């Protein structure tokens, strides 16, 4: 993809899991990527502990999901316990495996980072440079120039785009002059990763005991994450915790030997979000763009969500297939959800992890009463308190009568083009996909076939009744095998459905709305005349 005079298509600053994920997504397209990381190696800090089904779906798009599954416990959700130690409710997926992967999966971040680095080193278009500190950045609408210092001295690189995934103390954010809004929290928390632990549960446990709020997340092969609220005199953020403190807080659950401690740290968390996520051709993602308390388990997952939203757009623009204007949709689509997730995490911290016996008692009574009703059970057990993933602006073409801006699930289906049953993403690939739902009496409109062919959009017929079409003028017909394909597309019966590379429904229209839909979506691709000049 690289075009002179660029040295690389993309520069990624930060080799944490979000930066490495972005590099994997970008390089999967054949783009050239330089990753620079100020540390000399991957991190050994006890940071993220849970990776969700949406993130694993993104890793599948990067060609890495099956390898990453070897690092996780296939998790089911989270159990919440009241002040008396009894379970209040268990929260999990409303439709298990809807996205094609287990719902919420404990893992060890250092192991994930090592795996990602190992896999990226195998890709010829990826250059990984550790021990390199970003020192200068110029970011225009057309390109970036970045300077970085390493053992070899100071070097300058010229690229089309730069992605700043360099954490909460982001140098990229500082060099771009981007401010943040929100607040820091002053509670001290002890995080301990232990070995040879007896916990074998496939779910996280949030204990709302006001005397010592804490979280337990069992991991793989005897690993277990414990997080405990600390009180005055027990330790401060940045201090090395005493072994006696570890013994005291872990005593209700296990005996502790020094050899059983993998990592231990005291930290404080923040609820902050960057006011701008793009300056010229530079972008922020992950903790560089937003920092949140850990109680919703969405810090890392939000960063991976950023990468999934941004990278396919950057690839399209860098490859000359889409106008640069589509990149403004990144912050427009992600900002509101990220801010809402920060607020949810803060609320969970205040309520679930309260140190007030009075508030804890009120919380427990309220939840116990709510789950006696169907609406209450659905709210808590299906996690309806989480922010809606639906976009209300960005790369969307609203038409009345059909939901857009929501991700489509990944059901199993039978593909008539190869007579194979597999997950939907395996059938559609990693690009745009256009589905025609329960509409077989006539061939696809020629103007739509030509539009899809010009822009590399795969086309599919999807019957919602139990029929097997003899012919299809689309690339393939997809057949329901377990009811889930029908459930996903039932809201779009009789319509054409355009799904983006990040699996979000961008447009859905009836046959007689075709001209209106085409007028709205054409601007997301370069016209053929401009496309030819770019190539």
């Amino acid at each position: 993809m690289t075009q002179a005079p660029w040295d690389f298509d993309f520069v990624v600053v930060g080799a944490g899991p979000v930066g490495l994920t972005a590099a994997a997504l970008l390089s999967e397209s054949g783009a050239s990527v330089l990753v620079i990381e100020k540390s000399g190696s991957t991190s050994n800090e006890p940071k993220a502990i849970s990776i969700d089904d949406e993130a694993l779906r993104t890793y599948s798009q990067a060609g890495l999901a099956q390898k990453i599954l070897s690092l996780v416990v296939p998790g089911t959700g989270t159990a919440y316990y009241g002040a008396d130690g009894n379970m209040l409710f268990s929260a999990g997926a409303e439709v298990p495996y809807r996205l094609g992967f287990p719902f919420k999966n404990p893992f060890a971040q250092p192991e994930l980072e090592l795996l990602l680095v190992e896999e990226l080193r195998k890709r010829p278009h990826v250059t990984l440079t550790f021990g390199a500190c970003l020192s200068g950045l110029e970011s225009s609408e057309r390109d970036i120039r970045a300077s970085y210092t390493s053992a070899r001295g100071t070097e300058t690189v010229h690229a089309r785009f730069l992605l700043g995934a360099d954490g909460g103390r982001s140098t990229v954010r500082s060099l771009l002059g981007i401010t943040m809004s929100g607040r820091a929290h002053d509670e001290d928390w002890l995080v301990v990763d232990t070995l040879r632990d007896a916990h074998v549960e496939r779910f996280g446990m949030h204990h709302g005991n006001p005397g010592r709020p804490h979280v337990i997340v069992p991991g793989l092969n005897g690993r277990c994450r414990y997080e405990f609220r600390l009180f005055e005199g027990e330790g401060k953020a940045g201090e090395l915790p005493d072994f006696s403190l570890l013994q005291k807080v872990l005593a209700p659950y296990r005996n502790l030997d020094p050899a059983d401690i993998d990592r231990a740290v005291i930290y404080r968390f923040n609820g902050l979000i960057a006011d701008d996520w793009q300056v010229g051709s530079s972008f922020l993602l992950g903790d560089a763009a937003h920092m949140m308390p850990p109680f919703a388990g969405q810090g890392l997952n939000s960063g991976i969500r950023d990468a999934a939203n941004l990278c396919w757009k950057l690839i399209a623009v860098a490859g000359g297939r889409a106008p640069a204007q589509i990149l403004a949709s990144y912050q427009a689509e992600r900002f509101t959800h990220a801010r809402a997730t920060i607020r949810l995490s803060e609320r969970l911290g205040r309520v679930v992890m309260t140190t007030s016996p009075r508030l804890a008692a009120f919380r427990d009574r309220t939840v116990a009463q709510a789950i006696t009703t169907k609406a209450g059970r659905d709210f808590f057990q299906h996690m309806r308190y989480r922010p809606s993933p639906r976009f209300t602006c960005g790369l969307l073409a609203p038409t009345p009568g059909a939901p857009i801006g929501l991700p489509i699930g990944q059901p199993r289906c039978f593909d008539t083009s190869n007579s194979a049953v597999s997950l939907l993403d395996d059938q559609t690939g990693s690009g745009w996909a256009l589905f025609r739902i329960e509409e077989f009496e006539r061939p696809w409109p020629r103007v739509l076939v030509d539009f899809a062919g010009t822009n590399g959009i795969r086309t599919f017929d999807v019957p919602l009744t139990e029929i097997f079409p003899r012919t299809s003028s689309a690339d393939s017909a997809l057949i329901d095998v377990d009811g889930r394909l029908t459930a996903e597309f039932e809201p779009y019966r009789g319509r054409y459905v355009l799904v983006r590379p990040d699996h979000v429904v961008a447009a859905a229209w009836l046959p007689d709305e075709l001209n209106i839909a085409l007028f709205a979506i054409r601007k997301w691709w370069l016209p053929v005349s401009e496309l030819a000049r770019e190539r």
Side-chain angles (χ1 to χ4, degrees):
M1 185 185 290
T2 304
Q3 303 176 25
W6 301 335
D7 302 312
F8 294 90
D9 295 310
F10 304 100
V11 173
V12 176
V13 182
V18 174
L20 295 171
T21 300
L25 288 168
L26 296 168
S27 62
E28 185 72 1
S29 72
S32 59
V33 184
L34 169 67
V35 180
I36 60 176
E37 165 57 45
K38 65 181 180 181
S39 300
S41 62
T42 56
S43 173
N44 196 40
E45 293 293 320
K47 297 178 182 177
I49 192 65
S50 177
I51 189 166
D52 63 20
D53 50 353
E54 190 176 348
L56 288 172
R57 191 180 190 183
T58 297
Y59 281 123
S60 180
Q61 208 161 356
L64 297 171
Q66 290 306 311
K67 292 182 180 294
I68 290 172
L69 284 172
S70 68
L71 305 180
V72 311
V73 172
T76 56
T78 304
Y80 291 88
Y81 296 81
D84 60 3
N86 293 318
M87 185 188 296
L88 289 172
F89 68 96
S90 179
E94 183 171 2
V95 181
Y97 218 70
R98 177 174 176 256
L99 300 186
F101 293 94
F103 178 61
K104 189 176 181 183
N105 309 281
F107 79 110
Q109 180 172 323
E111 293 182 357
L112 175 64
E113 291 185 19
L114 287 171
L115 185 148
L116 292 173
V117 166
E118 179 183 355
E119 293 301 315
L120 287 174
R121 290 196 190 281
K122 299 174 184 177
R123 300 188 177 186
H125 301 299
V126 178
T127 302
L128 292 165
T129 303
F130 285 88
C133 296
L134 186 71
S135 55
L137 175 59
E138 298 175 8
S139 184
S140 72
E141 297 297 328
R142 294 193 58 83
D143 58 11
I144 67 96
R145 292 184 185 274
S147 301
Y148 60 95
T149 303
S150 66
R152 297 190 301 269
T154 299
E155 302 178 61
T156 300
V157 62
H158 183 205
R160 178 64 184 93
F161 292 110
L162 180 140
L163 288 75
D166 51 340
R169 297 184 177 89
S170 171
T171 301
V172 172
R173 191 180 64 234
S174 177
L175 290 173
L176 294 175
I178 296 174
T179 56
M180 300 192 86
S181 299
R183 72 184 189 94
H185 296 261
D186 58 5
E187 298 95 345
D188 292 299
W189 282 78
L190 171 67
V191 180
V192 189
D193 285 345
T194 63
L195 307 174
R196 296 186 293 184
D197 199 276
H199 281 98
V200 292
E201 295 88 347
R202 289 172 53 204
F203 51 88
M205 290 158 275
H206 287 217
H207 288 268
N209 175 2
R212 175 78 74 186
H214 58 284
V215 177
I216 304 173
V217 184
L220 198 64
N221 300 324
R223 292 180 180 273
C224 191
R225 161 70 58 87
Y226 293 89
E227 301 183 4
F228 295 95
R229 171 70 186 273
L230 297 183
F231 297 100
E232 187 67 31
E234 291 185 317
K236 294 290 186 182
E239 296 179 351
L240 187 66
D242 293 333
F243 181 67
S244 59
L245 174 64
L246 305 184
Q247 285 181 308
K248 179 177 76 171
V249 297
L250 282 164
Y253 295 105
R254 60 170 295 173
N255 295 319
L256 192 66
D257 184 273
D260 296 330
I261 303 170
D262 192 20
R263 306 172 190 88
V265 66
I266 301 173
Y267 81 107
R268 291 182 176 181
F269 49 79
N270 301 297
L272 299 169
I273 190 165
D275 298 311
D276 298 292
W277 293 20
Q278 176 185 3
V279 174
S281 295
S282 297
F283 300 81
L284 300 179
L285 62 167
D287 284 356
H290 44 73
M291 290 176 276
M292 61 190 67
F295 306 114
Q298 286 297 299
L300 170 63
N301 293 298
S302 291
I304 296 174
R305 201 173 287 122
D306 296 340
N309 184 289
L310 176 62
C311 288
W312 69 267
K313 299 171 184 175
L314 294 177
I315 290 166
V317 174
R321 298 187 299 277
Q325 288 86 340
I326 73 167
L327 300 176
S329 67
Y330 167 54
Q331 180 171 351
E333 292 172 352
R334 285 288 305 126
F335 185 90
T336 300
H337 188 269
R339 183 175 58 187
T341 304
I342 291 171
R343 290 173 177 170
L344 169 66
S345 300
E346 291 176 324
R347 287 197 302 273
L348 289 174
R350 289 194 302 268
V351 176
V352 178
M353 297 292 138
T354 182
T355 58
S356 164
R358 183 176 178 180
L359 177 57
F362 175 76
R363 173 202 65 205
D364 295 352
R365 288 195 306 270
T366 302
V367 173
Q369 182 176 0
I371 60 176
T372 62
T373 68
K374 183 180 185 306
R377 287 192 299 275
D378 285 346
F379 180 79
F380 286 107
Q381 295 175 357
H382 297 153
M383 305 179 75
R384 299 277 170 80
Y385 47 82
R386 295 193 303 175
S388 169
R390 186 171 188 171
F391 302 150
T392 57
C393 60
L395 293 190
L396 305 173
T399 49
I404 64 169
L406 285 165
I408 205 77
Q410 190 181 191
R412 296 177 182 86
C413 49
F414 181 95
D415 187 338
T416 61
S417 68
N418 58 18
S419 299
V421 175
S422 61
L423 293 173
L424 181 63
D425 294 357
D426 296 330
Q427 313 285 16
T428 60
S430 59
W432 290 83
L434 180 60
F435 302 88
R436 183 173 65 165
I437 314 303
E438 194 70 4
E439 180 73 24
F440 302 109
E441 290 77 14
R442 45 191 171 181
W444 282 61
R446 173 49 55 186
V447 64
L448 191 54
V449 172
D450 290 344
F451 176 77
T454 298
N455 295 296
I457 304 171
R458 296 201 66 200
T459 58
F460 300 89
D461 278 324
V462 180
L464 299 183
T465 52
E466 293 182 1
I467 65 169
F468 192 91
R470 294 179 181 178
T471 61
S472 171
S473 55
D475 292 329
S476 177
L478 302 179
I479 308 299
D480 195 341
V481 294
D482 60 6
R484 291 307 314 159
L485 184 69
T486 296
E488 290 293 333
F489 284 106
E490 178 61 42
Y492 307 99
R493 181 182 289 269
R495 296 175 184 269
Y496 293 87
V497 182
L498 182 63
V499 178
R500 309 183 333 180
D502 58 355
H503 318 298
V504 171
V505 176
W509 64 89
L510 294 167
D512 60 6
E513 297 170 334
L514 174 59
N515 291 335
I516 298 172
L518 281 176
F519 179 80
I521 66 180
R522 284 186 191 277
K523 61 180 177 291
W524 301 337
W525 287 266
L526 284 174
V528 174
S529 57
E530 294 185 36
L531 188 62
R533 284 201 302 272
E534 289 285 341
R535 288 175 174 171

